[in-house]
Short mmCIF file of all heavy atoms in Angstrom, two decimals:
data_model
loop_
_atom_site.label_atom_id
_atom_site.label_comp_id
_atom_site.label_asym_id
_atom_site.label_seq_id
_atom_site.Cartn_x
_atom_site.Cartn_y
_atom_site.Cartn_z
N GLU A 1052 0.65 -8.24 16.83
CA GLU A 1052 1.37 -7.01 16.52
C GLU A 1052 0.95 -6.49 15.14
O GLU A 1052 0.54 -7.26 14.27
CB GLU A 1052 2.87 -7.27 16.52
CG GLU A 1052 3.45 -7.57 17.88
CD GLU A 1052 4.97 -7.69 17.83
OE1 GLU A 1052 5.53 -7.63 16.72
OE2 GLU A 1052 5.58 -7.85 18.89
N ARG A 1053 1.09 -5.20 14.97
CA ARG A 1053 0.86 -4.62 13.65
C ARG A 1053 1.97 -5.08 12.70
O ARG A 1053 3.15 -5.11 13.08
CB ARG A 1053 0.88 -3.10 13.73
CG ARG A 1053 -0.25 -2.48 14.53
CD ARG A 1053 -0.15 -0.96 14.48
NE ARG A 1053 -1.14 -0.33 15.32
CZ ARG A 1053 -0.87 0.18 16.51
NH1 ARG A 1053 0.35 0.13 16.98
NH2 ARG A 1053 -1.83 0.76 17.22
N LYS A 1054 1.58 -5.40 11.49
CA LYS A 1054 2.56 -5.77 10.46
C LYS A 1054 2.22 -5.01 9.18
O LYS A 1054 1.05 -4.86 8.84
CB LYS A 1054 2.53 -7.27 10.20
CG LYS A 1054 3.02 -8.11 11.37
CD LYS A 1054 3.13 -9.56 11.00
CE LYS A 1054 3.69 -10.39 12.16
NZ LYS A 1054 3.82 -11.83 11.80
N TRP A 1055 3.26 -4.57 8.51
CA TRP A 1055 2.99 -3.84 7.28
C TRP A 1055 2.52 -4.78 6.20
O TRP A 1055 2.96 -5.92 6.10
CB TRP A 1055 4.20 -3.02 6.84
CG TRP A 1055 5.35 -3.79 6.29
CD1 TRP A 1055 6.43 -4.25 6.98
CD2 TRP A 1055 5.54 -4.18 4.93
NE1 TRP A 1055 7.27 -4.92 6.12
CE2 TRP A 1055 6.75 -4.88 4.86
CE3 TRP A 1055 4.80 -4.02 3.75
CZ2 TRP A 1055 7.24 -5.41 3.66
CZ3 TRP A 1055 5.29 -4.55 2.57
CH2 TRP A 1055 6.49 -5.24 2.54
N VAL A 1056 1.63 -4.27 5.33
CA VAL A 1056 1.14 -5.05 4.20
C VAL A 1056 1.46 -4.39 2.87
O VAL A 1056 1.46 -5.06 1.83
CB VAL A 1056 -0.38 -5.31 4.29
CG1 VAL A 1056 -0.72 -6.16 5.50
CG2 VAL A 1056 -1.16 -4.00 4.33
N ALA A 1057 1.72 -3.09 2.89
CA ALA A 1057 2.04 -2.38 1.64
C ALA A 1057 2.92 -1.19 2.00
O ALA A 1057 2.71 -0.56 3.04
CB ALA A 1057 0.78 -1.92 0.94
N ARG A 1058 3.87 -0.90 1.14
CA ARG A 1058 4.79 0.19 1.40
C ARG A 1058 5.13 0.89 0.11
O ARG A 1058 5.17 0.27 -0.95
CB ARG A 1058 6.05 -0.31 2.10
CG ARG A 1058 6.75 -1.44 1.38
CD ARG A 1058 7.80 -2.09 2.25
NE ARG A 1058 8.97 -1.24 2.38
CZ ARG A 1058 9.94 -1.45 3.27
NH1 ARG A 1058 9.86 -2.46 4.10
NH2 ARG A 1058 10.98 -0.65 3.32
N ILE A 1059 5.41 2.21 0.23
CA ILE A 1059 5.79 3.01 -0.92
C ILE A 1059 6.88 3.97 -0.49
O ILE A 1059 6.74 4.66 0.53
CB ILE A 1059 4.56 3.74 -1.52
CG1 ILE A 1059 4.95 4.54 -2.76
CG2 ILE A 1059 3.89 4.64 -0.48
CD1 ILE A 1059 3.73 5.04 -3.55
N SER A 1060 7.94 4.03 -1.26
CA SER A 1060 9.07 4.90 -0.91
C SER A 1060 8.90 6.27 -1.56
O SER A 1060 8.05 6.47 -2.43
CB SER A 1060 10.38 4.27 -1.35
OG SER A 1060 10.51 4.39 -2.76
N ALA A 1061 9.75 7.19 -1.16
CA ALA A 1061 9.73 8.52 -1.76
C ALA A 1061 10.03 8.44 -3.26
O ALA A 1061 9.60 9.30 -4.03
CB ALA A 1061 10.74 9.42 -1.06
N ALA A 1062 10.74 7.42 -3.66
CA ALA A 1062 11.05 7.22 -5.08
C ALA A 1062 10.01 6.35 -5.76
O ALA A 1062 10.22 5.89 -6.89
CB ALA A 1062 12.43 6.57 -5.22
N ASP A 1063 8.88 6.11 -5.07
CA ASP A 1063 7.77 5.33 -5.61
C ASP A 1063 8.09 3.86 -5.82
O ASP A 1063 7.48 3.19 -6.65
CB ASP A 1063 7.22 5.93 -6.91
CG ASP A 1063 6.44 7.21 -6.66
OD1 ASP A 1063 5.96 7.39 -5.52
OD2 ASP A 1063 6.31 8.02 -7.58
N THR A 1064 9.05 3.36 -5.07
CA THR A 1064 9.27 1.91 -5.05
C THR A 1064 8.19 1.30 -4.15
O THR A 1064 8.01 1.73 -3.01
CB THR A 1064 10.65 1.58 -4.51
OG1 THR A 1064 11.63 2.19 -5.35
CG2 THR A 1064 10.87 0.08 -4.48
N ILE A 1065 7.50 0.31 -4.66
CA ILE A 1065 6.36 -0.27 -3.96
C ILE A 1065 6.60 -1.75 -3.70
O ILE A 1065 7.16 -2.45 -4.55
CB ILE A 1065 5.08 -0.09 -4.80
CG1 ILE A 1065 4.67 1.40 -4.83
CG2 ILE A 1065 3.94 -0.94 -4.27
CD1 ILE A 1065 3.52 1.70 -5.76
N SER A 1066 6.17 -2.19 -2.54
CA SER A 1066 6.21 -3.62 -2.25
C SER A 1066 5.03 -4.00 -1.37
O SER A 1066 4.44 -3.14 -0.70
CB SER A 1066 7.54 -4.03 -1.61
OG SER A 1066 7.78 -3.26 -0.46
N TYR A 1067 4.71 -5.28 -1.39
CA TYR A 1067 3.56 -5.81 -0.66
C TYR A 1067 3.94 -7.08 0.07
O TYR A 1067 4.85 -7.81 -0.34
CB TYR A 1067 2.41 -6.13 -1.64
CG TYR A 1067 1.93 -4.96 -2.45
CD1 TYR A 1067 2.42 -4.73 -3.73
CD2 TYR A 1067 0.99 -4.08 -1.93
CE1 TYR A 1067 1.99 -3.65 -4.47
CE2 TYR A 1067 0.54 -3.00 -2.67
CZ TYR A 1067 1.05 -2.78 -3.93
OH TYR A 1067 0.61 -1.70 -4.66
N SER A 1068 3.22 -7.34 1.13
CA SER A 1068 3.39 -8.63 1.77
C SER A 1068 2.77 -9.69 0.86
O SER A 1068 1.88 -9.39 0.04
CB SER A 1068 2.71 -8.64 3.13
OG SER A 1068 1.30 -8.54 2.99
N ASP A 1069 3.24 -10.90 1.00
CA ASP A 1069 2.74 -11.97 0.15
C ASP A 1069 1.23 -12.17 0.29
O ASP A 1069 0.56 -12.56 -0.66
CB ASP A 1069 3.47 -13.28 0.48
CG ASP A 1069 4.91 -13.27 0.00
OD1 ASP A 1069 5.26 -12.42 -0.85
OD2 ASP A 1069 5.68 -14.12 0.47
N SER A 1070 0.72 -11.88 1.46
CA SER A 1070 -0.69 -12.15 1.72
C SER A 1070 -1.63 -11.23 0.95
O SER A 1070 -2.81 -11.55 0.78
CB SER A 1070 -0.97 -12.04 3.22
OG SER A 1070 -0.66 -10.74 3.69
N VAL A 1071 -1.13 -10.09 0.48
CA VAL A 1071 -2.00 -9.14 -0.22
C VAL A 1071 -1.56 -8.87 -1.65
O VAL A 1071 -2.27 -8.17 -2.39
CB VAL A 1071 -2.13 -7.80 0.55
CG1 VAL A 1071 -2.52 -8.06 2.00
CG2 VAL A 1071 -0.84 -6.99 0.48
N LYS A 1072 -0.42 -9.38 -2.01
CA LYS A 1072 0.13 -9.11 -3.35
C LYS A 1072 -0.87 -9.53 -4.42
O LYS A 1072 -1.44 -10.62 -4.37
CB LYS A 1072 1.44 -9.87 -3.51
CG LYS A 1072 2.31 -9.42 -4.66
CD LYS A 1072 3.64 -10.15 -4.63
CE LYS A 1072 4.43 -9.88 -3.38
NZ LYS A 1072 5.75 -10.55 -3.37
N GLY A 1073 -1.08 -8.64 -5.37
CA GLY A 1073 -2.01 -8.93 -6.45
C GLY A 1073 -3.44 -8.51 -6.16
O GLY A 1073 -4.29 -8.50 -7.05
N ARG A 1074 -3.71 -8.16 -4.90
CA ARG A 1074 -5.08 -7.75 -4.53
C ARG A 1074 -5.13 -6.32 -4.01
O ARG A 1074 -6.13 -5.64 -4.18
CB ARG A 1074 -5.62 -8.69 -3.44
CG ARG A 1074 -5.68 -10.14 -3.85
CD ARG A 1074 -6.37 -10.99 -2.80
NE ARG A 1074 -5.66 -10.99 -1.53
CZ ARG A 1074 -6.19 -10.60 -0.38
NH1 ARG A 1074 -7.45 -10.18 -0.32
NH2 ARG A 1074 -5.47 -10.64 0.74
N PHE A 1075 -4.07 -5.86 -3.37
CA PHE A 1075 -4.02 -4.52 -2.79
C PHE A 1075 -3.10 -3.64 -3.62
O PHE A 1075 -2.09 -4.11 -4.16
CB PHE A 1075 -3.50 -4.56 -1.36
CG PHE A 1075 -4.44 -5.18 -0.35
CD1 PHE A 1075 -5.56 -5.90 -0.73
CD2 PHE A 1075 -4.16 -5.05 1.01
CE1 PHE A 1075 -6.40 -6.47 0.21
CE2 PHE A 1075 -4.99 -5.62 1.96
CZ PHE A 1075 -6.11 -6.32 1.56
N THR A 1076 -3.44 -2.35 -3.67
CA THR A 1076 -2.61 -1.38 -4.37
C THR A 1076 -2.44 -0.15 -3.50
O THR A 1076 -3.43 0.47 -3.09
CB THR A 1076 -3.26 -0.98 -5.71
OG1 THR A 1076 -3.46 -2.14 -6.52
CG2 THR A 1076 -2.35 0.01 -6.45
N ILE A 1077 -1.19 0.20 -3.24
CA ILE A 1077 -0.89 1.40 -2.46
C ILE A 1077 -0.58 2.54 -3.41
O ILE A 1077 0.00 2.34 -4.48
CB ILE A 1077 0.29 1.14 -1.49
CG1 ILE A 1077 0.47 2.31 -0.52
CG2 ILE A 1077 1.58 0.84 -2.25
CD1 ILE A 1077 1.49 2.03 0.59
N SER A 1078 -1.00 3.74 -3.02
CA SER A 1078 -0.69 4.91 -3.83
C SER A 1078 -0.60 6.13 -2.92
O SER A 1078 -1.01 6.08 -1.75
CB SER A 1078 -1.75 5.13 -4.91
OG SER A 1078 -3.02 5.37 -4.34
N ARG A 1079 -0.08 7.18 -3.49
CA ARG A 1079 0.16 8.40 -2.70
C ARG A 1079 -0.17 9.61 -3.56
O ARG A 1079 0.11 9.62 -4.76
CB ARG A 1079 1.62 8.42 -2.28
CG ARG A 1079 2.03 9.59 -1.41
CD ARG A 1079 3.53 9.52 -1.12
NE ARG A 1079 4.29 9.60 -2.34
CZ ARG A 1079 5.43 8.97 -2.54
NH1 ARG A 1079 5.93 8.19 -1.61
NH2 ARG A 1079 6.07 9.11 -3.68
N ASP A 1080 -0.79 10.60 -2.95
CA ASP A 1080 -1.06 11.88 -3.61
C ASP A 1080 -0.26 12.95 -2.88
O ASP A 1080 -0.66 13.39 -1.79
CB ASP A 1080 -2.56 12.18 -3.58
CG ASP A 1080 -2.93 13.41 -4.40
OD1 ASP A 1080 -2.10 14.35 -4.48
OD2 ASP A 1080 -4.04 13.45 -4.93
N ASN A 1081 0.85 13.34 -3.46
CA ASN A 1081 1.73 14.30 -2.78
C ASN A 1081 1.05 15.66 -2.60
O ASN A 1081 1.26 16.34 -1.59
CB ASN A 1081 3.03 14.46 -3.57
CG ASN A 1081 3.86 13.20 -3.57
OD1 ASN A 1081 3.71 12.33 -2.71
ND2 ASN A 1081 4.74 13.08 -4.55
N ALA A 1082 0.26 16.05 -3.56
CA ALA A 1082 -0.38 17.37 -3.50
C ALA A 1082 -1.38 17.46 -2.35
O ALA A 1082 -1.57 18.53 -1.75
CB ALA A 1082 -1.07 17.68 -4.82
N LYS A 1083 -2.01 16.33 -2.04
CA LYS A 1083 -3.03 16.32 -0.99
C LYS A 1083 -2.50 15.76 0.33
O LYS A 1083 -3.24 15.69 1.31
CB LYS A 1083 -4.24 15.51 -1.45
CG LYS A 1083 -4.96 16.10 -2.65
CD LYS A 1083 -6.17 15.25 -3.03
CE LYS A 1083 -6.91 15.85 -4.21
NZ LYS A 1083 -8.07 15.03 -4.62
N ASN A 1084 -1.25 15.31 0.31
CA ASN A 1084 -0.68 14.66 1.50
C ASN A 1084 -1.54 13.48 1.96
O ASN A 1084 -1.90 13.36 3.14
CB ASN A 1084 -0.49 15.66 2.63
CG ASN A 1084 0.59 16.68 2.32
OD1 ASN A 1084 1.56 16.36 1.64
ND2 ASN A 1084 0.42 17.90 2.79
N MET A 1085 -1.86 12.63 1.00
CA MET A 1085 -2.71 11.48 1.25
C MET A 1085 -2.02 10.19 0.84
O MET A 1085 -1.24 10.16 -0.12
CB MET A 1085 -4.02 11.59 0.47
CG MET A 1085 -4.91 12.76 0.88
SD MET A 1085 -5.63 12.55 2.52
CE MET A 1085 -6.74 11.17 2.21
N LEU A 1086 -2.34 9.14 1.56
CA LEU A 1086 -1.89 7.79 1.24
C LEU A 1086 -3.15 6.95 1.09
O LEU A 1086 -4.10 7.12 1.86
CB LEU A 1086 -1.02 7.25 2.36
CG LEU A 1086 -0.33 5.91 2.15
CD1 LEU A 1086 0.77 6.04 1.10
CD2 LEU A 1086 0.27 5.42 3.47
N TYR A 1087 -3.15 6.05 0.11
CA TYR A 1087 -4.34 5.23 -0.15
C TYR A 1087 -3.99 3.76 -0.19
O TYR A 1087 -2.85 3.38 -0.48
CB TYR A 1087 -4.96 5.63 -1.49
CG TYR A 1087 -5.36 7.08 -1.59
CD1 TYR A 1087 -4.57 7.99 -2.28
CD2 TYR A 1087 -6.53 7.54 -0.99
CE1 TYR A 1087 -4.92 9.32 -2.37
CE2 TYR A 1087 -6.89 8.88 -1.08
CZ TYR A 1087 -6.07 9.76 -1.78
OH TYR A 1087 -6.44 11.09 -1.86
N LEU A 1088 -4.99 2.94 0.06
CA LEU A 1088 -4.85 1.50 -0.12
C LEU A 1088 -6.12 0.98 -0.77
O LEU A 1088 -7.18 0.96 -0.12
CB LEU A 1088 -4.60 0.80 1.21
CG LEU A 1088 -4.27 -0.69 1.09
CD1 LEU A 1088 -2.90 -0.89 0.41
CD2 LEU A 1088 -4.26 -1.37 2.47
N GLN A 1089 -6.01 0.63 -2.03
CA GLN A 1089 -7.12 0.01 -2.73
C GLN A 1089 -7.06 -1.49 -2.46
O GLN A 1089 -6.06 -2.13 -2.77
CB GLN A 1089 -7.04 0.29 -4.23
CG GLN A 1089 -8.12 -0.38 -5.04
CD GLN A 1089 -9.50 0.16 -4.75
OE1 GLN A 1089 -9.69 1.38 -4.62
NE2 GLN A 1089 -10.50 -0.72 -4.65
N MET A 1090 -8.14 -2.02 -1.93
CA MET A 1090 -8.17 -3.44 -1.55
C MET A 1090 -9.26 -4.13 -2.36
O MET A 1090 -10.45 -3.79 -2.22
CB MET A 1090 -8.45 -3.56 -0.05
CG MET A 1090 -7.46 -2.80 0.81
SD MET A 1090 -7.66 -3.11 2.57
CE MET A 1090 -9.31 -2.46 2.83
N ASN A 1091 -8.85 -5.06 -3.17
CA ASN A 1091 -9.79 -5.81 -4.00
C ASN A 1091 -9.80 -7.27 -3.60
O ASN A 1091 -8.86 -7.76 -2.97
CB ASN A 1091 -9.41 -5.67 -5.47
CG ASN A 1091 -9.49 -4.25 -5.98
OD1 ASN A 1091 -10.31 -3.45 -5.53
ND2 ASN A 1091 -8.62 -3.92 -6.92
N ASN A 1092 -10.84 -7.95 -4.01
CA ASN A 1092 -10.99 -9.37 -3.72
C ASN A 1092 -10.72 -9.66 -2.24
O ASN A 1092 -9.95 -10.56 -1.89
CB ASN A 1092 -10.05 -10.20 -4.60
CG ASN A 1092 -10.34 -11.69 -4.52
OD1 ASN A 1092 -11.45 -12.10 -4.19
ND2 ASN A 1092 -9.34 -12.49 -4.84
N LEU A 1093 -11.37 -8.90 -1.40
CA LEU A 1093 -11.16 -9.05 0.04
C LEU A 1093 -11.64 -10.40 0.53
O LEU A 1093 -12.65 -10.94 0.05
CB LEU A 1093 -11.87 -7.92 0.79
CG LEU A 1093 -11.15 -6.57 0.73
CD1 LEU A 1093 -12.10 -5.43 1.05
CD2 LEU A 1093 -9.97 -6.56 1.67
#
């Protein structure tokens, strides 16, 4: 099943699953209606 690994709220509260914490970064660009996931140390 699909499982979430990163989440961001409208208030910019961010959380990560333990498996990616410290390596992945979620961000959002409201002006462009874009969501991003920077993944490091894959």
Side-chain angles (χ1 to χ4, degrees):
E1052 291 185 355
R1053 294 183 185 101
K1054 293 187 177 181
W1055 72 267
V1056 295
R1058 54 192 286 168
I1059 182 168
S1060 75
D1063 288 337
T1064 300
I1065 290 173
S1066 55
Y1067 301 95
S1068 67
D1069 288 343
S1070 60
V1071 308
K1072 196 175 298 182
R1074 300 186 298 122
F1075 290 13
T1076 302
I1077 189 172
S1078 62
R1079 182 182 62 214
D1080 187 328
N1081 294 338
K1083 296 181 179 179
N1084 292 327
M1085 296 290 292
L1086 186 69
Y1087 302 102
L1088 187 67
Q1089 177 67 42
M1090 305 187 297
N1091 297 328
N1092 191 23
L1093 284 160

